[in-house]
Amino acid sequence: MHIFWTAIPFRRFYSEEPELIPRELRRPPPIKPPPDGGWGWVIVLSSFLYNVLVLGYHNSFGVYLISLLKEFGETSSKTAWVGSISYGFIMVCGPLSGKLTVRYGAREISILGSLIIMISTVCSSYAPNLGTLFFTHGFLTGVGSSFAFTPGMIMVSQYFTTKRSLATGIVMSGGAAGALVQTRLHLFLIDILGWRQSLRVFSGLMIICVITGFTYLPLNPKGYTRSVVDNLKNSPLKKFVVDLGLWKDKIFLIWVAANGLCKFGFFIPYVHLVKHAVQLGIPVHSATNIMLFLGLTSMISRIIFGRICDSERINRLYINQASVFGVGLLYMLIPVLHSYGSLVAFGLFLGIADAGNYILLPVLTFDLMGAEKMPVAWGFMLTVNAVSCLGPPFAGWVNDMTGSYNLGFVVAGALNVAACFVLALIPIAKRSTRQTCKSIMNVTIDRSTQEITQWADNLPPIAEESPVSKYVNYFSTTTFRSPEITESRPEVYRGDDAETAGPAEVTRL
């Protein structure tokens, strides 16, 4: 039975067997630092393939829009909700995906998401109406895509430090590469087999994600990653309150507000640009070439921006602002672009402009909030970015009312320009927020008042410590804010010499 259990693929690498030594008396193993390479590059490749298949499928949904309009005869705004609901659930389920990844592991959740996508895509191929597609493609595929996409981004952040932007750029380029490949692939399959059979073929391709999901090996065993939430040992409700406390952070509020504005129109080109080109008199096969150029430049630019943003001389926030402003400007130029050549140029420059914001989304979230808050912050970020699901239906409604997508693009562009100015508030908020930037912090915690006092340079030996206080060696590689320090309650380590240690207790984190 033991041999059978160890052979199960989903079994984690840490032991779930009964422990001979109680957990409270056990010395925790040292936390492994990010290798900044090694197996991390395998993680990058696997996450890249996930984005190629999962995000590439969503980014090429515009090819299916024309077929669905012909099949069901509904309006553009109603039909666009099929893809928009799916986009929305990718974002809305971000916190749930992050929590499940921390609880059960990135490998298990990513594979589960892949299986959900396979099942839901097959079900979508038999949909008799749009209402069924709202559930199968919109809800089920959206939830599965969130489970498949989120773990990879968290794993890359854990495996890399100095090369994090490059690794993230490679991973995020997978969505553009997927749009580049799958736009042509789905168009070919639709022409030859029809849109229903095309979905079934894609469901078979998702087996690649199931296989690559097994490469998501945890850097540290579950249960030994110290965080602010882990230090609060009171109750699950306390952890929930700490998670919600992130919304009291001014920097985080500005960050999510800006991204909510700029992401409103993010999916509009991927859903409606092909149809917009067809309305201008461009043949559908030529219109799909616009998406090819968009995917090509986006894929290359994301890798280049990732390499550039790893430099210490580059301010990532400024790069992000320039990227957001560039996307907004391009959207606002759509009304004056009528020829095939001008729309190809639009796709080329949009791929370049959008790359900076797209790859820096997880990187800047990590930089601004720290490693300990990354899973929760990233989940909340995806939830706020669910506003992007409103963009395609809004543009479809504008097209139904006016006969053109121009106003939809202009509104999305104006929101991007506004987001650029909101991002300018982050440096101001950082200067007004009290920060503690030491990587090693030596403090004394009074047992009666729980008051924290900084150690002096000439510290007494441990044997001479006061019986009313305990010493803490608090190690961290991230930036902490003072409220987190005062709320945390470190665990007390009692080793083999606990009986002879006297009244003082040495706390280790």
Side-chain angles (χ1 to χ4, degrees), residues 97-170:
S97 302
K99 285 289 187 181
L100 292 177
T101 299
V102 174
R103 175 66 178 86
Y104 296 103
R107 177 177 48 186
E108 288 84 346
I109 300 305
S110 61
I111 294 176
L112 174 63
S114 302
L115 294 175
I116 294 176
I117 294 174
M118 293 176 67
I119 296 172
S120 62
T121 305
V122 172
C123 294
S124 297
S125 67
Y126 292 99
N129 49 55
L130 281 183
T132 304
L133 283 176
F134 289 157
F135 176 74
T136 56
H137 179 83
F139 174 70
L140 291 180
T141 303
V143 172
S145 299
S146 181
F147 287 0
F149 165 73
T150 305
M153 300 310 304
I154 296 176
M155 291 290 288
V156 170
S157 297
Q158 293 175 349
Y159 267 82
F160 289 90
T161 52
T162 60
K163 299 178 182 177
R164 185 178 297 121
S165 295
L166 174 61
T168 304
I170 296 174

Side-chain angles (χ1 to χ4, degrees), residues 216-233:
Y216 284 171
L217 306 183
L219 181 62
N220 290 292
K222 176 181 171 293
Y224 293 115
T225 302
R226 308 295 302 175
S227 69
V228 174
V229 176
D230 293 331
N231 285 333
L232 297 175
K233 296 295 184 178

Side-chain angles (χ1 to χ4, degrees), residues 198-236:
S198 177
L199 290 177
R200 295 163 193 162
V201 172
F202 173 75
S203 177
L205 292 176
M206 281 299 299
I207 193 66
I208 298 176
C209 289
V210 175
I211 297 174
T212 56
F214 286 100
T215 63
Y216 284 171
L217 306 183
L219 181 62
N220 290 292
K222 176 181 171 293
Y224 293 115
T225 302
R226 308 295 302 175
S227 69
V228 174
V229 176
D230 293 331
N231 285 333
L232 297 175
K233 296 295 184 178
N234 295 335
S235 66

Side-chain angles (χ1 to χ4, degrees), residues 84-391:
S84 297
I85 294 174
S86 184
Y87 301 146
F89 274 101
I90 293 177
M91 307 302 177
V92 168
C93 292
L96 177 61
S97 302
K99 285 289 187 181
L100 292 177
T101 299
V102 174
R103 175 66 178 86
Y104 296 103
R107 177 177 48 186
E108 288 84 346
I109 300 305
S110 61
I111 294 176
L112 174 63
S114 302
L115 294 175
I116 294 176
I117 294 174
M118 293 176 67
I119 296 172
S120 62
T121 305
V122 172
C123 294
S124 297
S125 67
Y126 292 99
N129 49 55
L130 281 183
T132 304
L133 283 176
F134 289 157
F135 176 74
T136 56
H137 179 83
F139 174 70
L140 291 180
T141 303
V143 172
S145 299
S146 181
F147 287 0
F149 165 73
T150 305
M153 300 310 304
I154 296 176
M155 291 290 288
V156 170
S157 297
Q158 293 175 349
Y159 267 82
F160 289 90
T161 52
T162 60
K163 299 178 182 177
R164 185 178 297 121
S165 295
L166 174 61
T168 304
I170 296 174
V171 170
M172 301 301 271
S173 68
L180 178 66
V181 174
Q182 293 198 52
T183 297
R184 278 297 184 184
L185 174 63
H186 289 294
L187 183 63
F188 171 77
L189 293 175
I190 291 173
D191 290 341
I192 301 300
L193 304 174
W195 69 272
R196 297 182 184 272
Q197 288 290 348
S198 177
L199 290 177
R200 295 163 193 162
V201 172
F202 173 75
S203 177
L205 292 176
M206 281 299 299
I207 193 66
I208 298 176
C209 289
V210 175
I211 297 174
T212 56
F214 286 100
T215 63
Y216 284 171
L217 306 183
L219 181 62
N220 290 292
K222 176 181 171 293
Y224 293 115
T225 302
R226 308 295 302 175
S227 69
V228 174
V229 176
D230 293 331
N231 285 333
L232 297 175
K233 296 295 184 178
N234 295 335
S235 66
L237 178 61
K238 184 67 174 180
K239 295 182 179 181
F240 180 71
V241 171
V242 171
D243 290 349
L244 294 182
L246 193 64
W247 291 95
K248 297 180 180 179
D249 192 308
K250 294 180 181 179
I251 297 176
F252 182 72
L253 289 176
I254 296 173
W255 177 233
V256 297
N259 280 281
L261 290 173
C262 69
K263 291 301 180 182
F264 175 82
F266 177 79
F267 286 114
I268 291 179
Y270 294 101
V271 176
H272 293 297
L273 188 57
V274 173
K275 179 74 183 306
H276 175 68
V278 171
Q279 288 182 347
L280 293 176
I282 300 173
V284 62
H285 284 78
S286 298
T288 56
N289 289 333
I290 302 173
M291 301 305 299
L292 291 179
F293 288 112
L294 170 60
L296 179 63
T297 55
S298 183
M299 178 184 64
I300 297 175
S301 299
R302 290 174 186 180
I303 298 176
I304 295 175
F305 271 104
R307 187 70 182 92
I308 293 174
C309 290
D310 275 330
S311 173
E312 296 181 356
R313 300 180 180 179
I314 298 296
N315 189 308
R316 295 169 178 171
L317 184 60
Y318 293 162
I319 294 292
N320 186 64
Q321 283 183 272
S323 174
V324 170
F325 182 80
V327 171
L329 183 62
L330 287 170
Y331 280 177
M332 297 177 73
L333 290 176
I334 278 289
V336 299
L337 305 178
H338 303 287
S339 65
Y340 171 71
S342 62
L343 289 178
V344 168
F346 169 82
L348 288 171
F349 286 106
L350 180 62
I352 297 173
D354 183 61
N357 171 256
Y358 196 69
I359 71 157
L360 287 177
L361 183 60
V363 174
L364 281 174
T365 302
F366 189 96
D367 291 345
L368 294 174
M369 306 316 303
E372 297 176 350
K373 292 184 176 180
M374 175 61 180
V376 177
W378 179 244
F380 284 142
M381 279 295 303
L382 293 181
T383 301
V384 173
N385 288 346
V387 70
S388 61
C389 74
L390 303 177

